[in-house]
Amino acid sequence: MDRSFAETLLALRQSRNLSQRTVAADLGISQPLLSHYEKGTREPGLNFVCRVCDYYGVTADYLLGRASHPGDVSVSRSRAFLADLRGTLDRAEKELNQVEGERK
């Protein structure tokens, strides 16, 4: 995980033998802006990061240098997500029980 966002973005494009012009057009930005992102002279917004993840089929963790493989999701982040999901389900169940109790 020694790569920056800019390095990863460049490596993804080059690994697929795509031109900056093609990728920029596909992502809805100008070629010079993509060049700035790949050189690290500008940083993109979250919307662009999401589009790049979808375009290349990689996780945001990989793109941002937080994971070493394109599909890696850290175990701790997965556990945190699962805990959040369980909390949401528990709250939903309580609300349903409350609604059910009010109907009786």
Side-chain angles (χ1 to χ4, degrees), residues 50-67:
C50 292
R51 288 197 320 264
V52 171
C53 290
D54 291 342
Y55 185 77
Y56 288 117
V58 299
T59 65
D61 277 348
Y62 177 76
L63 187 60
L64 299 174
R66 295 172 45 106

Side-chain angles (χ1 to χ4, degrees), residues 39-78:
K39 290 177 184 175
T41 56
R42 298 215 29 209
E43 290 188 3
L46 182 57
N47 187 291
F48 179 77
V49 171
C50 292
R51 288 197 320 264
V52 171
C53 290
D54 291 342
Y55 185 77
Y56 288 117
V58 299
T59 65
D61 277 348
Y62 177 76
L63 187 60
L64 299 174
R66 295 172 45 106
S68 56
H69 293 83
D72 276 359
V73 177
S74 72
V75 172
S76 62
R77 292 180 59 79
S78 296

Side-chain angles (χ1 to χ4, degrees), residues 26-27 37 39:
D26 290 347
L27 294 173
Y37 291 158
K39 290 177 184 175

